[in-house]
């Protein structure tokens, strides 16, 4: 069997791969994902060529992001919730954005033990986080993987993140609905989750409701009033707070009903397409910024001038603005020197 990582793709190969992805062949989908994850320059071109072929078949899935602190029950939840979806006849893809997974060895894979049902479910496709380590690179690969899964006919794409660094923001920017899982315990308001994450939430679910129902209800009330303050009075969608148990599969039908309601309201208000369009434009600019910056940093003259200029800035011999100008001048982009 040919190694997808070292393969060279020609037009015929890409046509065949696109056809196999469209037909829903899992091994081909996995191979296509390996291609979009690759950073080899001929692979970058081949991946774009493949995605361009598949673009007409993309866009049709419910794209759902999930975050929550380690231990909140994400994997257990995804296994139960995902199995409910496949039992309804849906095809489900589970992806992850975990920029640290390169070091820790791929969290979702290790988690497959916690996704026992989905791991053997023919209607589910689980893919661990790409391990390139840089959030920007992981995000690009994951966005393009969403497109590939859509072309392969997956109806729901779940993107999990552990919430390291900026990863919640990155995931919220690639999905239609962002679900935040919370723990019922007192002090969780402060403990786990960064406050900004609440602002990203379209739905909050207080998990482990089986364990401490009273605490769970109290936490749900707290989050609900926090959300009420943050949500504009005329917003078409007011993020609800639900109590669930991933372990016992409680409240998950209601959660799915809320997700569908969200979808309906967002479509009706025009916000669904607006959000997707904003996301792709933002993504385009992020790619431009990434590429410009890496060109800039790789420029030999910039590299040569950098150590002295940094020392000058640190010791206040030169202003930061002037140092930036000098660096840009080395790049042929100076404005005033
Ligand atoms: N009581 C209870 N325990 C849960 C629930 N969901 C997960 N757990 C337990 O919490 C621990 C962490 O769950 P896991 O799914 O690995 O969390 P993750 O780190 O967010 O993926 C495990 O021991 C689970 O069995 C739940 O709904 N109720
Ligand atoms: Mg997990």
């Amino acid at each position: 069997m040919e190694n997808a990582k070292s393969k060279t793709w020609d037009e015929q190969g890409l046509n065949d791969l696109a056809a196999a992805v469209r037909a829903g062949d899992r091994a081909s989908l996995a191979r296509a994902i390996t291609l979009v994850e690759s950073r080899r320059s001929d692979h970058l071109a081949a991946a774009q060529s493949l995605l361009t072929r598949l673009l007409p078949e993309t866009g049709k899935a419910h794209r759902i992001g999930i975050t929550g602190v380690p231990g909140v029950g994400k994997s257990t939840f995804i296994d139960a919730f995902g199995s409910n979806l496949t039992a309804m006849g849906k095809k489900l893809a589970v992806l992850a954005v975990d920029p640290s997974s390169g070091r820790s060895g791929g969290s979702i894979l290790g988690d497959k033990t916690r996704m026992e049902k989905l791991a053997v479910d023919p209607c589910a496709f689980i893919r661990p986080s790409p391990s390139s380590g840089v959030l920007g690179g992981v995000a690009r690969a994951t966005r393009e993987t969403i497109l590939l899964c859509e072309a392969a006919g997956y109806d729901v794409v779940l993107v999990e993140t552990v919430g390291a660094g900026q990863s919640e923001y990155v995931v919220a920017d690639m999905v239609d609905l962002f679900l935040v899982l919370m723990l019922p315990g007192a002090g969780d308001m402060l403990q786990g989750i960064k406050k900004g994450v609440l602002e990203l939430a379209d739905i909050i679910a207080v998990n482990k409701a089986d364990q401490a129902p009273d605490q769970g209800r109290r936490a749900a009330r707290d989050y609900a009033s926090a959300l009420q303050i943050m949500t504009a009075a005329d917003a078409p969608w007011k993020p609800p707070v639900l109590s669930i148990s991933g372990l016992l599969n409680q409240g998950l039908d209601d959660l799915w009903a809320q997700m569908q309601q969200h979808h309906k309201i967002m479509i009706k208000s025009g916000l669904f397409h607006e959000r997707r369009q904003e996301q792709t434009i933002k993504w385009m600019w992020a790619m431009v910024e990434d590429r410009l910056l890496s060109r800039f940093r790789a420029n030999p003259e910039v590299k040569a001038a950098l150590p002295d200029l940094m020392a000058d800035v640190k010791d206040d011999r030169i202003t930061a603005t002037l140092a930036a100008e000098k660096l840009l001048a080395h790049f042929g982009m100076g404005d005033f020197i």
Side-chain angles (χ1 to χ4, degrees):
M1 169 112 192
E2 208 160 5
N3 183 344
K5 282 202 170 113
S6 56
K7 188 175 163 66
T8 326
W9 292 94
D10 58 15
E11 289 294 303
Q12 186 57 50
L14 289 170
N15 277 336
D16 293 347
L17 184 60
V21 168
R22 268 189 217 106
D25 178 60
R26 298 166 69 101
S28 301
L29 174 60
R31 216 170 298 138
I33 295 172
T34 301
L35 180 60
V36 304
E37 287 175 352
S38 172
R39 280 174 295 170
R40 235 173 70 176
S41 57
D42 62 320
H43 282 174
L44 292 173
Q48 292 314 307
S49 173
L50 175 69
L51 288 164
T52 304
R53 285 171 167 81
L54 294 173
L55 216 47
E57 279 88 39
T58 65
K60 289 170 211 141
H62 273 238
R63 304 171 181 173
I64 299 171
I66 297 177
T67 194
V69 294
V72 70
K74 293 181 295 301
S75 305
T76 309
F77 165 80
I78 290 170
D79 198 43
F81 183 72
S83 301
N84 293 351
L85 294 182
T86 60
M88 286 175 216
K90 302 208 175 288
K91 279 180 75 185
L92 168 77
V94 181
L95 316 177
V97 170
D98 179 3
S100 65
S101 71
R103 268 162 281 145
S104 65
S107 59
I108 249 199
L109 256 196
D111 264 8
K112 270 199 174 176
T113 47
R114 288 255 155 74
M115 297 198 214
E116 277 175 341
K117 279 183 277 167
L118 282 187
V120 295
D121 189 330
C123 293
F125 178 85
I126 303 178
R127 179 82 179 190
S129 178
S131 54
S132 90
V134 187
L135 185 55
V138 172
R140 177 187 66 77
T142 307
R143 284 195 184 99
E144 294 181 343
T145 297
I146 293 176
L147 300 178
L148 292 174
C149 291
E150 289 179 336
Y154 286 85
D155 308 294
V156 180
V157 180
L158 294 181
V159 186
E160 178 195 337
T161 181
V162 289
Q166 297 294 302
S167 63
E168 297 104 330
Y169 295 89
V170 164
V171 171
D173 261 335
M174 59 176 84
V175 295
D176 307 316
L177 182 152
F178 197 62
L179 170 69
V180 178
L181 294 186
M182 295 285 204
L183 287 166
D188 289 322
M189 212 50 174
L190 314 169
Q191 171 217 318
I193 221 97
K194 294 166 245 167
K195 187 178 163 288
V197 171
L198 284 185
E199 287 167 27
L200 302 176
D202 296 299
I203 299 180
I204 288 183
V206 181
N207 196 25
K208 308 198 183 183
D210 58 289
Q211 233 173 22
D214 291 343
Q215 270 188 351
R217 268 192 295 275
R218 217 174 311 130
R221 265 201 310 275
D222 287 351
Y223 293 130
S225 51
L227 278 178
Q228 210 171 9
I229 298 165
M230 288 190 294
T231 313
D234 61 348
W237 176 255
K238 312 255 189 315
V241 183
L242 312 178
S243 275
I244 63 164
S245 165
L247 193 64
L248 301 187
N249 206 339
Q250 287 171 354
L252 303 192
D253 290 343
D254 186 30
L255 175 59
W256 176 239
Q258 291 278 351
M259 287 175 166
Q260 286 178 297
Q261 183 64 11
H262 174 263
H263 192 70
K264 221 159 79 189
I265 288 179
M266 295 297 277
I267 296 260
K268 206 168 144 214
S269 64
L271 287 172
F272 181 87
H273 292 290
E274 206 176 288
R275 181 164 166 170
R276 281 206 174 174
Q277 283 176 346
E278 277 172 10
Q279 286 173 341
T280 45
I281 295 295
K282 202 165 160 183
W283 174 11
M284 179 191 80
W285 282 116
M287 296 297 299
V288 170
E289 283 170 25
D290 273 11
R291 293 274 295 282
L292 283 177
L293 199 59
S294 58
R295 280 271 178 98
F296 182 76
R297 286 182 189 276
N299 180 285
E301 286 183 46
V302 171
K303 264 178 155 167
L306 195 58
D308 284 352
L309 278 170
M310 279 175 60
D312 288 345
V313 171
K314 281 185 194 158
D315 296 340
D316 291 328
R317 282 188 293 272
I318 169 179
T319 65
T321 301
L322 194 54
E325 177 67 18
K326 285 184 185 232
L327 285 174
L328 286 161
H330 282 298
F331 197 61
M333 281 182 53
D335 275 336
F336 54 84
I337 54 174

